[in-house]
Amino acid sequence: MARIISVVFDRNEHPLRATIRTRLGTVKVRWMDIAGDRCWQSSGILDAKKLAAPAIARIECMAEPG
């Protein structure tokens, strides 16, 4: 299970960066806009990244327009 520690949004309410803590370590996520597509990049050990994937999906759901 992953716990979202912090999320920073831009003025358009899109996520910019987040910190997620898992039992295997901390994962830092950064979102960017490349050629009009929103994508994310993460840092941390691979097993921690796998555990953080559902939390990243939750963050993206929070940013979707209602």
Side-chain angles (χ1 to χ4, degrees):
M1 175 151 175
R3 181 175 300 240
I4 300 170
I5 301 300
S6 68
V7 180
V8 176
F9 292 93
D10 66 6
R11 62 181 167 190
N12 296 322
E13 298 182 5
H14 296 144
L16 282 178
R17 61 186 176 271
T19 304
I20 301 167
R21 185 169 296 147
T22 69
R23 62 182 170 85
L24 297 176
T26 302
V27 176
K28 294 190 182 240
V29 184
R30 186 174 60 116
W31 281 266
M32 59 199 96
D33 187 1
I34 298 178
D37 291 330
R38 300 274 308 162
C39 59
W40 54 270
Q41 173 181 2
S42 62
S43 65
I45 62 171
L46 181 61
D47 291 334
K49 290 180 188 180
K50 290 178 183 177
L51 292 176
I56 295 169
R58 286 197 311 265
I59 293 169
E60 290 179 337
C61 285
M62 288 190 300
E64 287 180 1

